[in-house]
């Protein structure tokens, strides 16, 4: 009886263990199931590289290049802002700040990570957007650059905490060796510590950018959502994620538009899959 | 009476051979001390007797080990471990109260009656010479006890599942001389009703409590004999050197 | 320029970078508290939205969020805990272990809106649950699974191996050892992970957009097959979809959401520090 009970429990545990694999496959299969139907109507090349996204015109034009470029532009902007600041902050927390302040700073970063994206989107709308509008003298502040700033901010917790872990896990002896040779703390940091932690920092950046590409609500609320190919970062753009969130409600189940939104989902899934696998490889690369 | 019989025992961890061609017998109600320098396979030998080695990766074993004329490989591991209790090198109380530490094994084996459990705990603690010291605070954390008390608690915990054979793995390595004396006294009393195998790094301890002593070196059994004989006239020079402290 | 001076400048720049993150965080929290606080009345929390959501309270959204999150935990906790036990107790250094970890990493990285798509196609359409609390909770459950698994696994692995050894040596089976020795000592860590998952689930919008969230639904849901309003979606609606909503109501809603999420995190942090203090090994 006892043995039988344990047998059942162990099988349940095994099933739970396999659940994650099952869900990843299930998500991908259902995206494929709904998304691939689109290619009966549009060929994949045209879908990815065509310039017109007019889902409700007759006939619908479902080409996502403007959305891809929108996502890329916002992500690139966010990367430019968040990488130097995030890595700088990680170095400061890991190596420079006194221990008493360190805990406060870490709590601040955790606080940021906890703020829901819709709240940040709302705050961005009422503070950042008018600010961008006034500074650049624009007709609207709902632009790519607003989105980039907001997303950079949202990527910070990921970048800072993982990069800090990477710096922290460099053996102390490395730094002490450099210090013993008479270099300053800063020289030890950028000549010894940073190279030694580079693969972890790279993973941190990748995961931060993964967060940025997948972010939906804040982006939808502050980038203006114009599905045209952006010419400057001071124009409204529309990202892949925002398109799904904004249009899924209106798309008729089984329509080309509906299939196209799932096809966008496939693109996002594949991109985030590649980012995460790459980051994971770098995180678990044998340390030196 | 032979309690344990070991024939041509070999043990590997991955490619490394830890024990080589061991043959020996352990008699009922004796204390067999096992001495030898570290990494000579003593602990692996001990953990083979209750099949704890199986929990590690890369473990491989050949040969035959009998408990009461039954091959231990054929026994249920949980049943075997109930019969063959073990006390570890460091005092390892579970993060429970004193009472629950001792009652744990009995509960695992299905004892639910509170009165019975109380009786089991009291008897076990008495046998381990700990009852008088803890009887008024059975419900406090086991971590509040001193190191020596913790080790006797671990002995009581082992006794509570009513084993027939007791394995001690350097039980005094972390203890002061007074605590060590108490643990040794407990062992000598326990020998009346149990068979004891004691692994120790302390040659003097082996001389004090062991009826017989076995000397292991690099995974081989060099010599086994009555303790008195072994410490006065060992047959092998290496045994002599080790006992005299020339290496170790 | 000498190296001491370079170091000073470098450290100052690093300090500025840190300030650039921390200050806005403080600012955001302060603005929301300052402007949202006046809206915080008992009526705001317990009344239904009125006048096209331009007045009244947020009660249905608050209750909806609590239902949805509770449902998500109900599904995610047993599976997440089981998976954590499997990873930490059953498959050490095993190919399957690597594969599961990779799946978890990817599950954690899937964009939240893709969860929304999946939840819609799988639960709403395929299983015909419709847009309902059940669909929304299941979708969120899969999303927070990685958080719960990761935290629980760390908690389980922090229980010293020697405790397990002692238990086995007394003749306990694997499951008895896990049940009596490992789980009991890992509970604080598991709880922390679960609460962090709750916090995450409470604030997410994209996964519930098409699986449960109702634009406006003044009465409370009666069964798990009903739609429900949800706080994050409500904030989205009143800040972008409904014109001329009083600023006070928007900030008030943001503040309630923020308090809900921060409270969860605070509880998690308190449990963690308490546990560290009491840890006996």
């Amino acid at each position: 009886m006892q043995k039988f009970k344990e047998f059942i429990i162990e099988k349940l545990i095994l099933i739970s263990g396999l659940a994650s694999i099952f869900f990843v496959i299930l998500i991908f299969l259902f995206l494929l199931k709904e998304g691939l139907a689109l290619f009966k109507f549009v060929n994949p090349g045209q879908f990815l590289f065509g310039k017109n996204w007019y889902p409700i015109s007759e006939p619908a034009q479902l080409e996502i290049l403007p959305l891809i470029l929108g996502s890329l532009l916002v992500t690139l902007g966010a990367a430019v802002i968040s990488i130097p600041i995030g890595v700088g902050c990680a170095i400061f927390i890991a190596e420079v700040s006194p221990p008493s302040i360190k805990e406060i700073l870490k709590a601040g970063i955790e606080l940021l990570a906890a703020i829901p994206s819709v709240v940040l989107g709302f705050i961005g709308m009422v503070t950042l957007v008018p600010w961008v509008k006034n500074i650049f003298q624009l007709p609207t502040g709902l632009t790519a650059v607003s989105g980039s700033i907001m997303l950079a901010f949202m990527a910070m917790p990921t970048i800072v905490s993982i990069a800090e872990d990477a710096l922290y896990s460099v053996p102390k002896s490395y730094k002490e060796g450099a210090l013993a040779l008479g270099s300053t703390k800063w020289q030890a940091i950028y000549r010894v510590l940073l190279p030694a932690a580079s693969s972890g920092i790279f993973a941190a950046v990748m995961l931060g950018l993964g967060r940025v590409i997948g972010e939906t609500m804040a982006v939808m609320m502050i980038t203006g959502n114009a599905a045209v190919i952006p010419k400057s970062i001071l124009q409204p753009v529309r990202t892949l994620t925002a398109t799904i969130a904004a249009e899924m409600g209106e798309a008729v189940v089984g329509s080309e538009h509906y299939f196209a939104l799932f096809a966008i989902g496939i693109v996002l899934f594949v991109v985030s899959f590649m980012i995460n696998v790459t980051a994971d490889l770098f995180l678990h690369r044998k340390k030196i | 009476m032979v309690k344990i019989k070991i024939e041509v025992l070999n043990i590997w961890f991955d490619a490394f051979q830890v024990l080589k061609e061991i043959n020996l017998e352990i008699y009922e109600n004796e204390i067999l001390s096992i001495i030898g320098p570290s990494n000579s396979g003593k602990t692996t030998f001990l953990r083979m007797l209750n099949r704890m080695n199986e929990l590690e990766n890369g473990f491989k074993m050949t040969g035959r080990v009998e408990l009461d004329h039954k091959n231990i490989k054929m026994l249920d591991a949980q049943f075997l471990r109930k019969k063959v209790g073990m006390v570890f090198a460091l005092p390892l109380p579970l993060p429970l109260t004193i009472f629950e530490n001792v009652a744990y094994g009995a509960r695992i084996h299905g004892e639910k009656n509170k009165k019975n459990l109380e009786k089991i705990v009291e008897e076990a603690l008495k046998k381990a010479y700990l009852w008088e010291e803890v009887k008024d605070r059975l419900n406090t954390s086991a971590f509040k006890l001193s190191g020596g008390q913790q080790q006797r608690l671990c002995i009581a915990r082992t006794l509570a599942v009513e084993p027939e054979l007791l394995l001690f793995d350097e039980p005094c390595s972390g203890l002061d001389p007074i605590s060590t004396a108490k643990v040794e006294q407990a062992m000598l009393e326990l020998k009346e009703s149990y068979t004891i195998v004691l692994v120790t790094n302390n040659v003097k301890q082996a001389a004090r409590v062991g009826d017989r002593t076995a000397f292991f070196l690099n995974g081989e059994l060099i010599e086994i004999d009555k303790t008195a004989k072994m410490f006065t006239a060992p047959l092998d020079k290496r045994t002599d050197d080790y006992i005299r402290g020339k290496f170790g | 320029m000498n190296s001491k001076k370079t170091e000073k400048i470098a450290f100052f720049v690093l300090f500025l970078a840190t300030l650039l993150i921390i200050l806005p965080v403080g600012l955001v929290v302060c603005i929301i508290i300052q402007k949202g606080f006046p809206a915080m009345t008992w009526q705001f929390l317990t009344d239904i939205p009125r006048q096209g959501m331009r007045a009244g309270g947020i009660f249905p959204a608050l209750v909806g969020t609590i239902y949805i999150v509770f449902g998500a935990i109900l599904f995610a906790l047993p599976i997440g805990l089981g998976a954590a036990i499997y990873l930490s107790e059953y498959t050490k250094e095993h190919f399957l272990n690597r594969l599961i970890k990779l799946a978890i990493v990817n599950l954690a990285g899937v964009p939240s809106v893709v969860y929304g798509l999946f939840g819609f196609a799988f639960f709403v359409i395929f299983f015909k649950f419709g847009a309902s609390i059940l669909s929304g909770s299941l979708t969120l459950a899969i999303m927070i699974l990685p958080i719960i698994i990761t935290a629980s696994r760390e908690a389980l692995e922090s229980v010293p191996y020697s405790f397990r050894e002692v238990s086995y040596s007394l003749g306990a089976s694997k499951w008895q050892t896990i049940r009596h020795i490992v789980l009991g000592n890992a509970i604080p860590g598991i709880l922390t992970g679960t609460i962090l998952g709750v916090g995450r689930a409470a604030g997410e919008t994209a996964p519930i957009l098409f699986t449960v969230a109702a634009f406006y639904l003044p009465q409370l849901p009666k069964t798990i097959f009903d739609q429900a309003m949800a706080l994050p979606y409500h904030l989205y609606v009143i800040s972008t979809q409904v014109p001329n909503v009083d600023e006070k109501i928007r900030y008030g809603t943001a503040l309630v959401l923020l308090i809900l999420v921060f409270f969860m995190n605070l509880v998690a942090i308190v449990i963690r520090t308490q546990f560290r203090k009491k840890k006996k090994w």
Side-chain angles (χ1 to χ4, degrees):
Chain A
M1 191 56 215
Q2 174 78 10
K3 294 264 167 193
F4 180 69
K5 191 182 115 193
E6 296 204 2
F7 178 79
I8 298 290
I9 289 171
E10 295 196 350
K11 287 295 164 258
L12 284 176
I13 288 173
L14 171 68
I15 290 170
S16 306
L18 297 177
S20 304
I21 299 178
F22 173 71
F23 286 136
V24 170
I25 294 172
L26 197 67
I27 291 172
F28 192 53
L29 283 183
F30 263 78
L31 292 177
L32 286 182
K33 171 177 172 285
E34 305 283 355
L36 290 184
L38 175 72
F39 301 121
K40 279 183 275 184
F41 310 100
V42 188
N43 80 56
Q46 199 189 352
F47 169 70
L48 286 173
F49 302 115
K51 291 178 189 163
N52 300 306
W53 176 261
Y54 299 120
I56 41 180
S57 65
E58 270 305 325
Q61 284 187 285
L62 301 162
E63 303 162 353
I64 61 168
L65 188 63
L67 314 178
I68 293 178
L69 291 178
S71 277
L72 273 182
L73 185 64
V74 174
T75 305
L76 218 62
V80 168
I81 303 168
S82 63
I83 295 173
I85 297 181
V87 175
C89 177
I91 298 172
F92 187 80
I93 291 180
E95 294 297 324
V96 184
S97 76
S100 53
I101 301 178
K102 190 173 172 157
E103 290 308 311
I104 298 173
L105 293 177
K106 282 172 111 171
I109 302 285
E110 275 186 40
L111 201 68
L112 176 57
I115 301 177
S117 93
V118 69
V119 172
L120 283 175
F122 166 67
I123 286 294
M125 261 177 62
V126 291
T127 56
L128 182 65
V129 167
W131 186 70
V132 167
K133 182 182 169 193
N134 292 335
I135 287 189
F136 296 105
Q137 304 282 315
L138 301 172
T140 170
L142 298 168
T143 58
V145 74
S146 320
S148 291
I149 295 172
M150 205 68 229
L151 285 175
F153 198 47
M154 299 175 82
M156 291 307 183
T158 312
I159 297 181
V160 174
S161 61
I162 297 175
E164 198 227 318
D165 275 350
L167 287 166
Y168 188 77
S169 62
V170 175
K172 256 208 168 84
S173 55
Y174 283 40
K175 199 176 81 178
E176 280 163 1
L179 290 177
L181 292 173
S183 63
T184 63
K185 213 172 162 192
W186 169 241
Q187 285 167 331
I189 289 171
Y190 87 94
R191 291 217 182 114
V192 180
L193 221 50
L194 281 182
S198 59
S199 79
I201 293 175
F202 180 75
V205 168
M206 291 292 282
L207 290 173
L209 295 186
R211 173 95 206 266
V212 166
I213 291 174
E215 173 48 44
T216 311
M217 297 314 289
V219 174
M220 180 159 71
M221 291 163 88
I222 57 181
T223 53
N225 294 326
V228 290
I229 292 183
K231 295 198 174 56
S232 117
I233 55 165
L234 297 175
Q235 282 179 347
V237 293
R238 161 177 277 207
T239 64
L240 294 165
T241 50
T243 306
I244 299 176
E247 296 178 9
M248 192 63 197
E250 306 148 18
V252 180
V253 175
S255 68
E256 287 173 44
H257 186 196
Y258 173 86
F259 296 142
L261 294 177
F262 276 89
I264 297 176
I266 298 176
V267 173
L268 282 170
F269 184 90
V270 170
V271 170
S272 71
F273 188 88
M274 290 192 301
I275 288 178
N276 282 297
V277 172
T278 316
D280 196 54
L281 283 179
F282 274 86
L283 266 186
H284 293 118
R285 201 156 73 172
K286 277 274 165 280
K287 299 242 158 58
I288 304 123
Chain B
M1 266 284 280
V2 173
K3 186 75 182 166
I4 295 255
K5 186 172 178 185
I6 295 156
E7 286 172 337
V8 225
L9 172 75
N10 286 290
I11 290 180
W12 294 263
F13 280 105
D14 296 319
F16 183 71
Q17 187 163 9
V18 184
L19 289 176
K20 298 164 197 164
E21 306 281 318
I22 307 287
N23 292 290
L24 69 82
E25 290 175 349
I26 301 169
Y27 307 131
E28 212 159 306
N29 297 351
E30 74 164 341
I31 297 184
L32 173 68
S33 308
I34 297 177
I35 58 170
S38 37
N39 298 321
S40 52
K42 301 179 309 248
T43 297
T44 302
F45 175 80
L46 201 67
R47 291 164 64 93
M48 174 272 300
L49 293 172
N50 63 348
R51 285 173 55 186
M52 290 290 279
N53 286 322
E54 288 169 18
L55 303 171
E56 318 280 332
N57 289 327
F59 167 75
K60 208 174 80 194
M61 165 178 154
T62 62
R64 187 179 170 88
V65 181
E66 286 179 2
L67 169 70
D68 295 331
H69 310 294
K70 283 187 212 99
N71 188 341
I72 63 167
K73 259 191 223 164
M74 300 303 155
L75 297 174
D76 176 66
Q78 286 162 244
F79 174 77
L80 173 71
R81 289 177 196 148
K82 185 177 179 304
K83 276 195 150 183
V84 183
M86 181 165 208
V87 176
F88 294 83
L90 293 171
L92 283 174
L94 295 169
L96 303 167
T97 63
I98 295 172
F99 183 89
E100 287 302 328
N101 256 285
V102 184
Y104 179 76
R107 281 193 200 279
I108 287 293
H109 295 294
E111 182 60 71
K112 290 198 180 82
N113 184 303
K114 187 136 194 304
K115 277 266 172 301
N116 289 349
L117 280 174
E118 278 170 6
K119 220 176 94 201
I120 291 170
V121 170
E122 181 176 340
E123 274 172 18
L125 283 169
K126 277 179 176 159
K127 280 190 202 164
Y129 290 95
L130 192 60
W131 175 250
E132 290 302 322
E133 291 164 57
V134 300
K135 65 180 177 191
D136 301 322
R137 46 175 174 149
L138 291 175
N139 290 320
T140 55
S141 165
F143 289 99
K144 294 240 167 75
L145 299 174
S146 72
Q149 288 173 325
Q150 287 187 5
Q151 194 59 303
R152 276 177 284 147
L153 178 73
C154 294
I155 294 174
R157 184 177 62 196
T158 307
L159 297 178
V161 295
E162 298 172 344
E164 295 167 13
L165 192 75
L166 292 176
L167 310 177
F168 287 87
D169 184 8
E170 300 178 26
C172 303
S173 54
L175 302 183
D176 59 90
I178 295 168
S179 305
T180 301
K182 284 191 178 166
V183 171
E184 286 178 6
Q185 184 198 359
M187 273 192 265
L188 287 169
E189 297 278 340
L190 289 170
K191 162 180 115 161
E192 302 299 320
S193 21
Y194 302 90
T195 306
I196 294 177
V197 184
L198 165 70
V199 160
T200 179
N201 268 336
N202 181 341
V203 176
K204 286 183 189 132
Q205 182 169 55
R208 282 195 297 268
V209 298
D211 295 309
R212 289 192 306 151
T213 299
F215 175 57
F216 277 55
L217 185 65
N218 296 329
E220 287 175 67
L221 173 62
I222 303 297
E223 192 170 350
I224 176 166
D225 214 327
K226 291 240 187 296
T227 299
K229 168 110 192 312
M230 185 98 147
F231 279 80
T232 48
L235 295 174
D236 195 294
K237 182 161 185 316
R238 289 168 291 180
T239 315
D240 194 40
D241 286 348
Y242 179 72
I243 290 170
R244 288 168 192 276
K246 288 200 180 156
F247 68 96
Chain C
M1 195 157 56
N2 71 41
S3 55
K4 264 286 156 214
K5 212 169 203 168
T6 322
E7 179 176 78
K8 269 205 173 131
I9 295 171
F11 283 1
F12 183 69
V13 172
L14 295 180
F15 174 69
L16 277 187
T18 309
L19 224 53
L20 265 177
I21 303 176
I22 297 296
L23 274 189
V25 178
L27 211 62
V28 165
V29 174
C30 285
I31 292 177
I32 295 178
I33 292 176
Q34 188 208 352
K35 296 205 177 174
F37 194 71
M40 282 294 142
T41 59
W42 185 242
Q43 193 212 0
F44 182 68
L45 293 176
T46 56
D47 197 7
I48 59 166
R50 293 175 193 282
Q51 296 167 27
M53 294 185 263
R54 289 181 187 86
I58 53 167
F59 188 58
L62 194 56
V63 172
T65 285
I66 292 171
Y67 284 176
I68 296 166
V69 169
F70 184 73
I73 286 298
L74 220 56
F75 294 116
L77 185 56
I79 298 179
L81 190 53
I85 293 175
Y86 186 71
L87 285 175
S88 90
E89 309 294 321
Y90 284 89
T91 57
K92 284 278 166 219
E93 306 305 316
H94 196 278
F95 173 70
L96 198 55
N97 190 306
R98 276 289 296 151
L99 207 62
I100 293 172
K101 281 182 184 163
L102 197 66
I104 292 169
V105 166
N106 277 295
L107 221 45
V110 171
S112 56
V113 73
V114 173
Y115 277 106
L117 276 181
F118 165 72
F120 184 77
F122 191 61
F123 298 120
V124 177
I125 305 288
F126 186 75
F127 272 113
K128 299 193 173 65
F129 291 155
S132 63
I133 293 179
L134 183 62
S135 301
S137 291
L138 287 169
T139 309
L140 280 179
I142 300 178
M143 195 191 75
I144 61 173
L145 209 50
I147 302 177
I148 295 182
I149 296 177
T150 310
S152 305
R153 188 172 62 93
E154 270 172 25
L156 294 170
E157 284 177 355
S158 75
V159 177
Y161 183 69
S162 57
F163 290 175
R164 296 172 175 82
E165 231 174 15
V166 167
S167 179
Y168 291 136
S169 82
L170 292 168
S173 68
K174 187 148 194 159
W175 171 245
Q176 282 173 326
T177 302
I178 294 170
R179 162 90 182 60
H180 296 287
I181 300 299
V182 183
L183 274 185
N185 289 298
I187 278 177
I190 294 166
L191 221 56
T192 308
T194 308
I195 295 168
L196 289 178
V198 168
R200 173 86 194 278
E204 273 293 344
T205 318
I208 59 171
L209 272 179
F210 344 113
T211 52
V212 50
F215 189 82
Y216 176 64
L217 193 73
Q219 75 273 28
L220 297 183
K222 289 188 185 59
T223 74
I224 55 168
F225 294 102
D226 288 346
Q227 271 194 293
M229 291 182 82
L231 215 46
Y233 183 56
H234 184 63
L235 176 60
Y236 170 71
V237 166
I238 58 174
S239 47
T240 62
Q241 308 290 303
V242 185
N244 305 324
V245 177
D246 188 2
E247 199 181 51
K248 205 175 76 171
I249 291 187
R250 292 177 176 177
Y251 276 107
T253 309
L255 180 57
V256 173
L257 186 54
L258 208 58
I259 290 175
L260 203 68
V261 172
F262 280 2
F263 179 72
M264 294 296 170
N265 280 270
L266 194 70
V267 172
I269 290 168
V270 168
I271 292 176
R272 201 167 54 194
T273 46
Q274 280 299 316
F275 177 60
R276 276 193 193 145
K277 251 189 261 166
K278 276 205 334 215
K279 201 163 169 172
K280 308 152 200 142
W281 56 85

